[in-house]
């Protein structure tokens, strides 16, 4: 250790790459140790901490070193939207970046199309940001990212899972499977699905997970009830489903859709969960206060934001690292909107 550490101290401030080399681990492992990630063996954690102490490494100094020749800013491209998922992810990322000594500059676009994303990315490149994060949940955004320059480290969040680009995303299919299996385990013969917009990767993944869970259980796969992400759209879908006595379980693609469904069921005299069980997705803060409190899938946006920052810092420190993929598995939050199949 002595030769490496003295050489680093004599030349420049230590960087995360130096810590990784000295400890004999990857940059990602160093980042996980710095962020208190639980999935690190204690022996590895102690070795990284020893290297940090010997080198005199400090995360904020690392941020300045990683951004040599650029500002200490991270550029973010996001749609100008109040949708809970993207808004929560953006807020969580800004906080995580601030802890690491970065300032986040957000470029909001009206629509996630090719020209808007290209212009926003170019704006951040001109500002010489250390790296760029694009919240890219739609097909059009995925297509646009295929054409952006690669001279600045870029991480897509909730982007196209089939592209080979660096990506951090929630496992939408796993979350939908959790929701669907929970309803099947309660004794329901099948589960109806009210989907989000088809052009969203999140919505498409939730459809795939729902369908796969039904097929694995040998259950009938009903037709998808298409909607957007709004409570009003969920209400309209709910009015349709409420007229169908065979509908006893509904998986809604997000909690706002579920809220509309709850209202529609109540107006049509079908009790939740007495007659119909409902599960949502997102775990919005209000979900625990719906009537009844909503069972839902929680994506954990804080973890997504933290992993996004970790991946971006790895890309900044090692531009030749290649594509990095991180997938966050969501969890099911059980409340009172699910009950066993009546009779």
């Amino acid at each position: 250790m002595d030769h490496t550490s003295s050489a680093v101290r004599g030349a420049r401030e230590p960087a995360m790459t130096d810590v990784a080399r000295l400890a004999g681990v990857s940059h990602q492992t160093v980042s996980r140790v710095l962020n208190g990630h639980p999935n690190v063996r204690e022996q590895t954690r102690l070795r990284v901490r020893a290297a940090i102490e010997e080198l005199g490494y400090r995360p904020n100094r690392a941020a300045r070193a990683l951004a040599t020749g650029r500002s200490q800013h991270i550029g973010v491209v996001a749609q100008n939207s109040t949708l809970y998922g993207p808004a929560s992810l953006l807020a969580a990322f800004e906080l995580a970046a601030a802890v690491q000594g970065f300032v986040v500059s957000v470029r909001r676009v009206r629509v996630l199309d090719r020209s808007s994303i290209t212009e926003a990315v170019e704006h951040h490149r001109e500002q010489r940001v250390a790296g760029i994060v694009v919240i890219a949940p739609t097909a059009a955004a995925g297509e646009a990212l295929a054409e952006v320059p690669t001279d600045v480290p870029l991480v897509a969040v909730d982007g196209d899972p089939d592209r080979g680009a660096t990506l951090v995303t929630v496992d939408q299919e796993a979350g939908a499977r959790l929701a669907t299996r929970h309803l099947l385990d309660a004794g329901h013969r099948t589960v109806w699905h009210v989907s989000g917009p088809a052009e969203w990767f999140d919505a498409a993944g939730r459809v795939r997970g729902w369908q796969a869970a039904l097929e694995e259980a040998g259950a009938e796969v009903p037709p998808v009830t298409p909607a957007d992400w709004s409570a009003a759209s969920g209400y309209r879908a709910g009015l349709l489903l409420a007229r169908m006595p065979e509908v006893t379980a509904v998986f809604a693609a997000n909690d706002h859709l579920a809220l509309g469904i709850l209202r529609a069921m109540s107006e049509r005299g079908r009790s939740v969960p007495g007659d119909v069980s409902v599960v949502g997705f997102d775990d919005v803060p209000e979900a625990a206060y719906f009537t009844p409190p909503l069972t839902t899938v929680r994506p954990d946006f804080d973890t997504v934001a933290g992993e996004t920052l970790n991946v971006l810092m790895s890309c900044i420190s090692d531009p030749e690292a290649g594509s990095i993929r991180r997938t966050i598995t969501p969890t099911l939050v059980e409340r009172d909107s699910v009950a066993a199949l009546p009779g």
Side-chain angles (χ1 to χ4, degrees):
M1 277 193 175
D2 291 343
H3 176 73
T4 302
S5 59
S6 61
V8 169
R9 280 195 291 264
R12 53 174 169 76
E13 287 188 338
M16 186 184 295
T17 52
D18 301 313
V19 176
R21 189 178 303 111
L22 188 57
V25 298
S26 67
H27 309 141
Q28 184 67 18
T29 298
V30 175
S31 181
R32 286 175 178 268
V33 171
L34 290 170
N35 287 283
H37 198 286
N39 294 336
V40 179
R41 290 188 302 174
E42 186 59 26
Q43 182 179 10
T44 302
R45 191 184 305 276
L46 291 173
R47 193 162 70 248
V48 170
R49 288 293 180 190
I52 288 172
E53 183 175 351
E54 180 163 346
L55 292 173
Y57 168 85
R58 294 294 180 269
N60 284 348
R61 290 218 305 266
R64 290 194 291 273
L66 291 174
T68 297
R70 297 182 180 272
S71 70
Q72 274 68 58
H73 285 68
I74 293 172
V76 174
V77 180
Q79 188 172 18
N80 189 15
S81 169
T82 57
L83 287 172
Y84 176 75
S88 298
L89 175 59
L90 177 57
F93 182 79
E94 288 182 293
L95 179 59
V99 170
Q100 292 295 326
F102 284 101
V103 176
V104 174
S105 174
V106 182
R107 189 77 167 182
R108 291 179 172 84
V109 298
R110 188 176 62 83
V111 291
L112 290 168
D113 60 13
R114 182 170 301 170
S115 61
S116 298
I117 290 178
T118 300
E119 186 277 332
V121 168
E122 183 60 28
H123 167 81
H124 287 314
R125 291 176 67 239
E126 291 174 355
Q127 299 301 312
R128 297 185 62 78
V129 295
I132 299 173
V133 170
V134 181
I135 301 175
T138 67
E143 293 169 2
L145 288 180
E147 299 182 4
V148 302
T150 58
D151 59 332
V152 179
L154 187 148
V155 178
V157 184
D158 281 346
D160 186 351
D162 294 327
R163 284 187 67 238
T166 294
L167 174 69
V168 179
T169 188
V170 172
D171 192 335
Q172 309 293 344
E173 292 190 33
R177 286 172 182 263
L178 283 173
T180 306
R181 287 172 181 163
H182 183 63
L183 290 163
L184 293 173
D185 288 345
H188 296 275
R189 297 183 182 91
T190 191
V191 178
W192 294 70
H193 180 50
V194 179
S195 73
E199 67 271 18
W200 283 63
F201 298 121
D202 292 2
R206 292 168 198 178
V207 169
R208 288 194 300 270
W210 160 78
Q211 182 174 343
L214 291 178
E215 291 174 347
E216 289 167 3
E220 177 188 354
V221 181
V224 172
T225 304
D228 58 33
W229 294 121
S230 70
S233 183
Y235 174 73
R236 291 190 294 270
L239 290 176
L240 173 65
L241 295 174
R243 292 197 295 266
M244 303 165 63
E246 65 270 28
V247 175
T248 66
V250 180
F251 165 45
N254 78 350
D255 291 349
H256 288 101
L257 287 170
L259 176 61
I261 292 166
L262 293 178
R263 169 70 181 270
M265 292 294 173
S266 176
E267 286 188 1
R268 292 295 182 265
R270 302 197 69 188
S271 69
V272 177
D275 299 317
V276 181
S277 292
V278 178
V279 176
F281 203 113
D282 277 347
D283 194 25
V284 300
E286 300 84 3
Y289 302 95
F290 289 179
T291 302
L294 183 68
T295 294
T296 185
V297 177
R298 177 184 295 161
D300 193 350
F301 295 112
D302 288 341
T303 298
V304 175
E307 282 298 296
T308 300
L309 183 61
N310 288 343
V311 169
L312 183 61
M313 292 185 72
S314 294
C315 293
I316 294 170
S317 64
D318 185 4
E320 305 301 321
S323 297
I324 303 173
R325 307 292 288 249
R326 294 288 182 272
T327 303
I328 312 304
T329 302
T331 56
L332 184 73
V333 180
E334 296 185 35
R335 296 194 179 101
D336 301 335
S337 63
V338 175
L341 180 67

